[in-house]
Amino acid sequence: MPVSISSREILEKLVSFPTVSRDSNLDLVDWVEEVLTGAGIKCYRDYSADGKKASLFAHVGPGVEGGVILSGHTDVVPVDGQGWSMEPFQVTERDGRLYGRGTCDMKGFDALALGLVLRAANAPLNRPLQICLTRDEEIGCIGAPPMIRAMEGVVPKAALAIIGEPTMMQAVTGHKGGTGVDTHLRGFEVHSSLIDRGVSAVMEGAKLIDWANRMNAENRAKMPKGSDALFDPPYTTLHVGVVEGGTAHNITAKDCRFLMSIRAVPGDNVEDWIARYQAEAQALEAQMQAIHPECFIITEPVFDVPGLRPEENGAAEQLVRQLTGDNGTHVVSYGTEAGQFQQAGYSSIVCGPGDIAQAHQPDEFISVAQFEAGEAFMDRLLKVLCA
């Protein structure tokens, strides 16, 4: 039976669920499933190993292959320590903007996609539509791959996937790949006045971080090749955002931990960069063990986000350009789940409402104009599916 709820009302409900990645998203998934099943749409879940989170997917229209996937993630980044001037988990409209955590990244798109699926359930579709709402995107895009595998044999395979990260409704055909390498250094504690007899895990870790600085400088100095030149910045970057370690200012640190993040342009192989980093760590470990044999460095890749490659005559690109009228060339330096869909055999593209500059910010917002542009996109897509 038809369910009467607007995309704007869906957005308000989605934002009200504080689905920060460290917490469960099941309340949101329960609500979405209740709304979709109320419209006669069968839903499927793919749970995390601990059962506290789930991705959800559904299919409407004829039970044939060749459909269109609309995919978005359900999790958001924390608001801790941010200077919000309004309630983050409530949509507030002000001066042509819709404020709230996730309005831009990316519950705005999720709401529009859900609104379309509800309308499509009662439309004469000649081509099927599928929706995917993933978990754990914000901690390394780790929820999409198992969900994509779970879809196999459960719903007919779609031809293409539109991942609705905020692109100002532009057709983004490429993005960098990325990985994170969890790094743990074990030193040897002595009084810092006897520093030559100990090994400071923090100071040794700083050498690996400085190696990343040197690699960034070398990459920056190179002339970018081919499509790499389209990116900003047009080279592979390495970054450490958080460092933990040490006991006191006068003790050589026993432990140091950080995540080495690598964002690679298409012309570079992420695996090669991991190997280079691990080789640097092994060389440093040997120097540490020459002072004390109990020292070590453990490096472990913890996530892998493949890059999105521009496709020649790609079905996803052709459809999105038809719907948006955008014929420009656009790539982005942030990662998305689009590369994972592409890797699984779907023609893929990134296109969604909102400005990525607002993502993760205090007082995050999506403009009303962008939300309406997304609604118009969905209207045009429905017509194509019914044609």
Side-chain angles (χ1 to χ4, degrees):
M1 60 178 292
V3 175
S4 179
I5 184 171
S6 69
S7 297
R8 171 65 182 273
E9 291 170 324
I10 295 173
L11 174 62
E12 292 176 352
K13 190 66 178 180
L14 295 181
V15 171
S16 73
F17 295 106
T19 51
V20 175
S21 286
R22 63 176 177 240
D23 301 322
S24 175
N25 71 337
L26 292 183
D27 286 346
L28 181 150
V29 171
D30 289 344
W31 181 82
V32 169
E33 184 167 3
E34 180 182 351
V35 171
L36 293 182
T37 55
I41 303 169
K42 186 174 182 179
C43 299
Y44 305 89
R45 297 190 187 195
D46 178 65
Y47 283 92
S48 59
D50 61 9
K52 295 180 179 179
K53 302 177 186 177
S55 300
L56 178 145
F57 58 95
H59 175 105
V60 294
V64 297
E65 295 186 349
V68 174
I69 291 174
L70 298 176
S71 183
H73 60 81
T74 61
D75 57 326
V76 297
V77 296
V79 299
D80 310 43
Q82 293 189 323
W84 282 76
S85 65
M86 60 196 77
E87 169 55 45
F89 297 108
Q90 174 182 310
V91 175
T92 301
E93 182 172 357
R94 185 180 299 171
D95 300 325
R97 297 173 175 178
L98 302 174
Y99 291 90
R101 174 56 87 218
T103 51
C104 177
D105 183 20
M106 58 182 299
K107 291 180 177 179
F109 176 84
D110 294 346
L112 293 166
L114 284 166
L116 177 60
V117 168
L118 291 171
R119 286 183 287 148
N122 298 286
L125 297 184
N126 288 310
R127 186 178 182 184
L129 176 67
Q130 295 175 0
I131 186 168
C132 296
L133 298 177
T134 62
R135 60 175 172 85
D136 289 330
E137 190 273 349
E138 294 291 5
I139 57 175
C141 296
I142 64 175
M147 180 203 66
I148 293 170
R149 292 192 294 270
M151 294 169 67
E152 296 177 4
V154 176
V155 294
K157 185 165 184 176
L160 62 95
I162 301 170
I163 289 72
E165 293 281 1
T167 69
M168 297 294 286
M169 297 308 302
Q170 293 180 328
V172 169
T173 57
H175 66 63
K176 291 184 178 181
T179 191
V181 183
D182 197 23
T183 305
H184 176 201
L185 296 93
R186 171 63 55 83
F188 181 67
E189 293 177 302
V190 297
H191 193 282
S192 60
S193 64
L194 305 173
I195 190 172
D196 61 322
R197 304 177 196 178
V199 179
S200 169
V202 168
M203 295 183 72
E204 297 301 317
K207 295 177 182 178
L208 289 179
I209 296 172
D210 188 54
W211 175 83
N213 286 329
R214 297 198 306 274
M215 293 304 100
N216 285 337
E218 287 184 13
N219 291 343
R220 187 182 303 116
K222 295 176 183 176
M223 182 69 69
K225 298 178 181 179
S227 63
D228 293 356
L230 299 173
F231 289 86
D232 182 16
Y235 52 86
T236 294
T237 58
L238 297 90
H239 175 255
V240 174
V242 176
V243 180
E244 299 175 338
T247 304
H249 74 91
N250 57 355
I251 304 174
T252 55
K254 181 179 180 181
D255 292 289
C256 180
R257 292 180 171 87
F258 54 82
L259 184 77
M260 180 65 70
S261 175
I262 304 169
R263 294 181 183 268
V265 291
D268 284 357
N269 188 313
V270 172
E271 294 299 321
D272 290 345
W273 275 105
I274 294 174
R276 291 179 66 180
Y277 177 61
Q278 290 179 326
E280 188 71 16
Q282 289 170 2
L284 181 60
E285 180 184 62
Q287 297 174 27
M288 294 165 63
Q289 290 177 343
I291 299 173
H292 199 282
E294 293 181 8
C295 296
F296 61 75
I297 303 177
I298 297 174
T299 56
E300 181 180 2
V302 291
F303 64 82
D304 177 27
V305 182
L308 175 66
R309 304 181 311 277
E311 301 169 354
E312 186 174 350
N313 299 318
E317 179 180 349
Q318 290 180 10
L319 176 61
V320 168
R321 293 199 186 284
Q322 174 188 346
L323 296 174
T324 62
D326 175 24
N327 292 312
T329 300
H330 310 287
V331 297
V332 294
S333 293
Y334 57 85
T336 80
E337 296 167 334
Q340 294 168 327
F341 277 95
Q342 187 180 63
Q343 201 172 61
Y346 298 91
S347 176
S348 302
I349 195 166
V350 186
C351 182
D355 185 345
I356 192 63
Q358 300 306 321
H360 304 183
Q361 297 298 305
D363 290 348
E364 176 183 348
F365 70 83
I366 184 172
S367 71
V368 173
Q370 274 292 296
F371 193 73
E372 291 175 345
E375 189 93 74
F377 176 92
M378 298 300 175
D379 290 342
R380 291 190 289 270
L381 175 57
L382 183 58
K383 292 178 181 178
V384 169
L385 296 174
C386 293

